[in-house]
Amino acid sequence: MNETRTELASLGEFGLINRIQKQFSAQNLTSVIGIGDDAAVIDAGADALLVTTDMLLEGPHFDLSYVPLKHLGYKAVAVNVSDIAAMNAKPEQITIGLAISNRFSVEAIDELYSGIKAACDDYGVDLVGGDTTSSAAGLVISITAIGRAPKDKVVLRSTAKANDIICVTGDLGSAYLGLQVLEREKQVFLTNPEMQPDLEKYEYMVGRQLKPSARMDVVHELAEKNIVPTSMIDVSDGLASELFHISRASGVGIKIFEDKVPIDSMAFETAIEFKLDPITCALNGGEDYELLFTIKPSDFEKLKNHPDIHFIGHTHNDANQNVMVTKQETIVPLKAQGWRHF
Ligand code: ADP
Ligand code: MG
């Protein structure tokens, strides 16, 4: 008998998803876009419906010793809304799968749902269902979000053209640095419980980690300005990884400029304090939930004075050349680390 065993680590998360994708093909004409974008696209007449799922697990994704349940609830919704935003669509409904143990009280679950409710109110989303089950180990929260957009406004990862301008919202790396701060304070607390955590200086970054927001504001602004990006993705795994997704899906090369990548000044200082390279935090940190998109050069005029949209580079013809021009003006290949789950 020849039973081979392939380790998950040899495929990685994206390799595994590719492998799953190859085993399925659409059986319904309404399944317009399946696995491979921020959300699936479903034909619903004049509109498209967008569907996405994101799961948060105690342990790999959050540590309840410093993550308040209310924030966790908010974040679980926001990260799903972010994937709907990345399709240039508006979220409308969510369902929630919850696995809990008797370690949690009714009050604790109330706390979790108060955060979920706050996010539902902020994003105008209705909680319409879900499933509840017991968990032997940690808390698991899995959310599915459904969004809607006119068909011709849906934006994919795969439709960037050469010579488009690469844009990113907000700033990058802060959420990752917020996590480093929280982890450090936890260690300090474990060695000396008398010590009170000193988080004030790091408030912005810790906030970005604990309570990220989805950039629906940008989706609305783009619509007001009559701009449909040529491609879009949200930054959940780090800028570099998301740039590679656009490159691969669209068949274009990427050129970005280090000095254009937006990094908050406190985040920059904090990176240095932690002996981390600020640009590495921005490229590979993850969990920023900003929007990364490309626009036609002719749309640049309409966006150039936007205070929260940064133009970090452009696409080009050679899909095998994904590079960054450093502050020293040397050209280095981009490396997508993303998160290694296995
Ligand atoms: P994102 O970071 O935008 O949430 P992911 O990297 O999690 O996207 O997923 C990439 C694509 O793979 C998405 O289209 C997602 O729906 C799909 N996907 C992820 N995990 C699975 C799975 N276990 N089975 C089928 N599709 C999956
Ligand atoms: Mg995404």
Side-chain angles (χ1 to χ4, degrees), residues 44 60 68 72 76 95 105 115 126 128-129 134 145 182 193 251 294 307 313 330 338:
L72 179 66
T95 60
S105 64
D126 301 319
V128 294
S134 60
L182 288 165
T294 52
T330 54

Side-chain angles (χ1 to χ4, degrees), residues 13-14 17 20 34-38 54 83 157 234 236:
E13 183 190 357
F14 300 134
I17 293 173
I20 296 171
I35 298 172
D37 216 303
D38 293 285
D54 254 303
D83 276 324
R157 296 176 178 180
D234 69 329
S236 54

Side-chain angles (χ1 to χ4, degrees), residues 124-194:
V125 174
D126 301 319
L127 169 60
V128 294
D131 191 28
T132 309
T133 173
S134 60
S135 155
L139 176 68
V140 181
I141 173 163
S142 173
I143 298 194
T144 295
I146 299 167
R148 182 183 288 272
K151 260 185 207 158
D152 58 342
K153 297 291 188 287
V154 171
V155 177
L156 307 179
R157 296 176 178 180
S158 53
T159 39
K161 299 269 184 310
N163 301 316
D164 284 347
I165 298 171
I166 304 173
C167 313
V168 71
T169 61
D171 64 76
L172 301 172
S174 295
Y176 174 74
L177 286 159
L179 181 63
Q180 305 314 305
V181 170
L182 288 165
E183 288 285 348
R184 181 179 69 184
E185 294 308 318
K186 181 187 175 183
Q187 294 313 320
V188 171
F189 181 79
L190 288 177
T191 16
N192 183 1
E194 306 287 292

Side-chain angles (χ1 to χ4, degrees), residues 289-338:
Y289 298 104
E290 296 295 340
L291 289 174
L292 172 68
F293 56 96
T294 52
I295 55 168
K296 296 186 294 238
S298 56
D299 280 334
F300 177 66
E301 273 302 306
K302 293 194 245 176
L303 280 185
K304 68 174 186 194
N305 293 321
H306 195 292
D308 210 27
I309 294 177
H310 309 278
F311 308 97
I312 61 171
H314 60 83
T315 54
H316 58 82
N317 271 321
D318 186 352
N320 296 315
Q321 287 287 323
N322 292 328
V323 298
M324 179 171 76
V325 180
T326 67
K327 288 179 181 166
Q328 293 76 34
E329 310 233 316
T330 54
I331 294 178
V332 296
L334 277 174
K335 287 195 196 78
Q337 276 176 316

